[in-house]
Amino acid sequence: VQLQAYGGGLVQAGGSLRLSCAASGRTFSNYAVGWFRQAPGKEREFVAAISRRGGTTIYADSVKGRFTISRDNAKNTFYLQMNSLKPEDTAVYYCAANSLTSYYSDDYDYWGQGTQVTVSS
């Protein structure tokens, strides 16, 4: 499956952004999907994931209560709604797909190209 992430940008602290990831090539509903991020000089870290039908969502503690992952299988797209953004959320955000809902980047077989999110203080 091919993934294309978009929706990043520059936002002030406390603001909101919605990232989208469009999937193509295979049956989207066969895959659990997730978001990861990587800040300069840091390792890639898990942000959120959602199961194939959307019934299960998991989040990193650092974003719980502020970010919401969702998906629309009819549109082959999934989303990350980010509210109450903080400067420490600044990173390149990557979307990924996998057969199972997972916290671990090594479990994901397919990756999008990343979209930059910058939160100014």
Side-chain angles (χ1 to χ4, degrees):
V1 61
Q2 291 79 47
L3 302 173
Q4 177 82 30
Y6 55 97
L10 173 64
V11 64
Q12 289 189 332
S16 298
L17 277 177
R18 188 175 83 155
L19 305 183
S20 301
C21 185
S24 62
R26 296 193 180 185
T27 304
F28 178 59
S29 59
N30 286 346
Y31 296 91
V33 291
W35 291 95
F36 290 76
R37 66 186 182 186
Q38 188 166 19
K42 295 187 177 182
E43 293 188 355
R44 188 173 298 187
E45 65 174 1
F46 171 78
V47 176
I50 187 167
S51 59
R52 301 177 190 184
R53 297 290 185 265
T56 299
T57 56
I58 54 176
Y59 296 92
D61 287 344
S62 59
V63 307
K64 208 172 286 184
R66 300 188 298 122
F67 291 10
T68 302
I69 189 170
S70 62
R71 66 188 295 162
D72 186 338
N73 285 349
K75 295 183 178 179
N76 291 347
T77 304
F78 63 105
Y79 309 95
L80 185 69
Q81 178 66 44
M82 304 185 294
N83 299 330
S84 302
L85 282 161
K86 304 175 181 180
E88 51 263 44
D89 295 317
T90 295
V92 177
Y93 283 71
Y94 297 90
C95 55
N98 181 34
S99 58
L100 297 173
T101 311
S102 174
Y103 293 93
Y104 306 107
S105 61
D106 287 348
D107 289 339
Y108 287 79
D109 299 316
Y110 305 98
W111 291 85
Q113 84 290 359
T115 185
Q116 176 71 47
V117 172
T118 303
V119 184
S120 63
S121 56

